[in-house]
Amino acid sequence: MSKGILVYSEITSDDYLHTVVFELANKAVELSKKMEDAPVMALVLTKPDLINEYKEAFQKSGFDKVFYVVDERFGTYRTDLFAKAAVQAVKQIDPEIMLVGATCQGRDLAPRISTALGTGLTADCTGLDILENGKFAATRPTFGGQLMATILCKKYPQMASVRPKVFKPSEVDVTRDTVFIKMSVDLDDYVPQIEVLEFTKKLVCDLNDLDSAKIIVAGGKGMKNAEGFALLKKLADKLGGCVGASRVAVEMGLAPQAVQIGQTGKTVSPKLYIACGISGALQHTIGMNSAEKIIAINTDKNAPIFDICDYGIVGDAFEIIPKLLEL
Amino acid sequence: MKIVLCVKQVPDTSDIKWTENNTIQREGLESIINPYDVYAFESALRLKNKYKNVNISALTMGPKQAEGMLRKLIAIGVDDAVLLSDKKFAGADTFATAKTIAAAIKSKLSDFDLIVCGQFAIDGDTAQTGPSIANFLDIPQVTYVKEVVGYEDGYLTVIRELDSGFEKVRVKLPALICVLQGEFEPVRARINGIIHSQQVEIPVYGIDDIGLSVEDAGLKGSPTYVNKAYRAPQKETECVFVESCEELAECIKKCGGICE
């Protein structure tokens, strides 16, 4: 095993480096200080013509080494192809720790890598640390967010996934003299088993781009029906925000899975989160409690959401929101 | 087509009580079928209703009581079931769990075409066991499946829901899919199903039956271990209650939301 922390660097369907890469880089730089400045490394699988586009971003985010594998077929993510390439690359790099963003791609790929390498993977971590004995400690919520577990790994690399927006990218310039290393992997015997027939992008104008939203108006069970969510949309439009939902609201068919906030959904950290008809189960609040300010509207004055919010009003969102819209 | 449906019994996490020592009170904690596994079941059932000669075998790893969940599934459309139960399976992380389930499928249900799992389990919420099983069986996987479109000539077509959009994918069988919540009508038990569920024999397999050694399974076979567990810290904020919508609008403004 060589020293160092490897960050899997996801490329989005628009050919950008995923923002979670910068968040993980910042964390990796912090961890490496407790590891005698072990190198912070990236692994990226990309189309050959694009690697130069990413170089500056890698340098600026504090990477010491960037390992890249190029192939024309890397333009579209496919589990079998990426797993085959990534497993070979990680074996060659042989890092002590490997971090992966818990995006759709990361959650699909990371368990293939860890299983193929015979090592452990701790999912959706909210805290990462190096213990005094040098072990990597990954902390994550479990049991619907009610229990925190710190998990260690006996095998190497010690792997963890982290959702976007859990850590912050560096605010200061951490430019390093990054070394770029081209790697080769053997994909000659790759026979595609998965074929992507078509991809329909979610419409940006309609899409609740929760990840970057400054203001989120979210609804739960209390928003009852489509009219309830239409009210939320109106309020969100007025405030220049986006609509989110609790798991129960998604299960009731009031909102798509893509806007679900909470443990089995997204983690968000907007400037303002307005929770309407959401009771505030931990399962939900761990996905939004890092919002700068939280306002809650709920008919039940004992709802746990009021324990974590800054401002609250006891009342029916169906009456309150229309009044807000008129103001 | 032979379908293996992987299901998990989970504690009802919406109803957790704490002991004085801040540990989870496990006694009296109700077990339910993982909600995402219900969607997995419904996806499998749709294939069974749409095509001829589809057989669904449910498989779970857990305590003996999990048999009840398997019988309920049989009552609503599963054909047969297998229970993996052995003290030596206890304490397994996702790696050891997947290894155990893959070993059971290899030794007992090896003629499968499709494995269907839920995307997450609500207790652990790792979304790792499905892909990990696929890796052990050396078959492709498709995660985040919103809808199973159809099955033709040894290929399954599904629609995935991803962060950025919807992807229509064709995968060669045998394969494993992980299913998200979809729009399904709840399935009611039929009288024939209930009778079948009471008559069918559910084999219980232990570690020796599936050819694993003690080092492969349970806590021993797990690369990860819990170093410590503690109650999630509660964010303490003093909520300022307001009475009127005008005051609320003022608060929204203070928090950076400008009503235009």
Side-chain angles (χ1 to χ4, degrees), chain A residues 108 115 148 150 154 197 202, chain B residues 132 143 162 168 223 227 230:
Chain A
D108 187 74
T115 309
M148 300 300 289
T150 300
K154 293 185 260 188
L197 301 175
K202 286 177 187 164
Chain B
S132 204
T143 52
L162 305 175
K168 194 173 187 181
N227 186 44
Y230 53 97

Side-chain angles (χ1 to χ4, degrees), chain A residues 67-304:
Chain A
F67 295 94
Y68 63 97
V69 187
V70 295
D71 193 296
E72 282 299 338
R73 293 168 291 186
F74 290 154
T76 305
Y77 174 77
R78 270 166 297 188
T79 312
D80 48 358
L81 177 70
F82 275 59
K84 195 173 172 69
V87 167
Q88 293 178 52
V90 178
K91 268 187 191 162
Q92 291 177 48
I93 302 165
D94 196 21
E96 205 171 341
I97 294 170
M98 179 169 181
L99 307 179
V100 183
T103 58
C104 286
Q105 182 182 128
R107 291 184 110 170
D108 187 74
L109 181 64
R112 291 277 328 196
I113 300 174
S114 63
T115 309
L117 298 174
T119 189
L121 168 63
T122 303
D124 290 357
C125 300
T126 52
L128 302 175
D129 202 3
I130 305 295
L131 302 181
E132 276 177 19
N133 63 6
K135 289 294 285 183
F136 174 63
T139 300
R140 70 183 302 266
T142 179
F143 272 94
Q146 310 203 51
L147 190 69
M148 300 300 289
T150 300
I151 293 169
L152 308 187
C153 184
K154 293 185 260 188
K155 300 279 175 66
Y156 293 92
Q158 305 163 95
M159 288 180 66
S161 72
V162 180
R163 286 194 202 178
K165 300 283 159 189
V166 170
F167 297 136
K168 291 195 160 49
S170 177
E171 282 166 6
V172 294
D173 190 343
V174 283
T175 299
R176 292 197 184 180
D177 204 358
T178 313
V179 183
F180 289 85
I181 302 160
K182 188 175 178 180
M183 296 184 87
S184 54
V185 297
D186 181 8
L187 297 171
D188 290 350
D189 62 344
Y190 168 70
V191 183
Q193 290 167 305
I194 301 170
E195 187 191 350
V196 178
L197 301 175
E198 60 183 57
F199 180 72
T200 327
K201 206 169 160 53
K202 286 177 187 164
L203 290 172
V204 177
C205 53
D206 254 306
L207 174 71
N208 288 278
D209 201 3
L210 289 177
D211 286 337
S212 53
K214 298 260 188 298
I215 295 173
I216 294 174
V217 181
K221 195 160 112 189
M223 295 317 293
K224 288 177 194 149
N225 48 38
E227 288 92 275
F229 265 74
L231 280 177
L232 299 182
K233 178 83 173 76
K234 278 188 194 155
L235 182 58
D237 285 347
K238 183 164 176 168
L239 299 171
C242 289
V243 175
S246 72
R247 187 174 90 201
V248 184
V250 172
E251 281 172 4
M252 287 163 71
L254 302 178
Q257 158 89 32
V259 303
Q260 183 177 318
I261 293 163
Q263 193 175 23
T264 44
K266 278 179 179 294
T267 299
V268 294
S269 56
K271 282 180 98 71
L272 171 61
Y273 191 92
I274 305 179
C276 309
I278 292 178
S279 66
L282 262 165
Q283 192 281 126
H284 179 72
T285 59
I286 58 166
M288 48 64 84
N289 62 16
S290 63
E292 250 170 65
K293 293 285 178 189
I294 300 169
I295 294 178
I297 305 173
N298 205 297
T299 49
D300 175 8
K301 71 175 192 327
N302 296 318

Side-chain angles (χ1 to χ4, degrees), chain B residues 31-161:
Chain B
S31 286
I32 56 170
I33 180 169
N34 175 42
Y36 286 88
D37 297 348
V38 177
Y39 303 118
F41 160 74
E42 307 211 21
S43 305
L45 190 68
R46 280 193 178 182
L47 284 168
K48 187 177 159 175
N49 290 340
K50 193 168 170 186
Y51 300 99
K52 281 184 189 153
N53 302 321
V54 175
N55 184 89
I56 308 174
S57 306
L59 182 154
T60 195
M61 180 172 108
K64 292 268 160 50
Q65 299 91 285
E67 191 190 316
M69 168 185 68
L70 295 174
R71 289 204 188 275
K72 274 186 201 155
L73 286 168
I74 293 170
I76 55 175
V78 162
D79 296 285
D80 47 70
V82 168
L83 172 60
L84 305 175
S85 195
D86 193 320
K87 286 207 173 90
K88 295 180 184 111
F89 295 152
D93 68 359
T94 57
F95 181 91
T97 301
K99 193 168 191 173
T100 306
I101 290 172
I105 292 173
K106 256 185 219 166
S107 62
K108 305 294 175 189
L109 300 160
S110 60
D111 58 346
F112 72 92
D113 299 290
L114 178 66
I115 301 172
V116 186
C117 304
Q119 177 65 39
F120 315 90
I122 59 164
D123 55 347
D125 185 32
T126 68
Q128 284 171 194
T129 308
S132 204
I133 294 170
N135 198 79
F136 278 116
L137 294 170
D138 199 18
I139 56 170
Q141 99 223 359
V142 185
T143 52
Y144 294 93
V145 172
K146 182 80 185 158
E147 189 190 334
V148 177
V149 180
Y151 160 69
E152 202 176 15
D153 302 330
Y155 286 86
L156 192 75
T157 304
V158 300
I159 293 172
R160 308 178 71 200
E161 181 173 0

Side-chain angles (χ1 to χ4, degrees), chain B residues 130-199:
Chain B
S132 204
I133 294 170
N135 198 79
F136 278 116
L137 294 170
D138 199 18
I139 56 170
Q141 99 223 359
V142 185
T143 52
Y144 294 93
V145 172
K146 182 80 185 158
E147 189 190 334
V148 177
V149 180
Y151 160 69
E152 202 176 15
D153 302 330
Y155 286 86
L156 192 75
T157 304
V158 300
I159 293 172
R160 308 178 71 200
E161 181 173 0
L162 305 175
D163 290 335
S164 52
F166 297 90
E167 195 179 71
K168 194 173 187 181
V169 168
R170 207 164 77 113
V171 62
K172 189 174 192 296
L173 299 182
L176 179 145
I177 60 172
C178 298
V179 179
L180 283 173
Q181 58 218 74
E183 284 150 29
F184 298 105
E185 289 291 318
V187 181
R188 286 170 189 277
R190 273 181 285 188
I191 191 78
N192 290 345
I194 296 170
I195 294 168
H196 181 51
S197 75
Q198 286 162 359
Q199 289 171 339

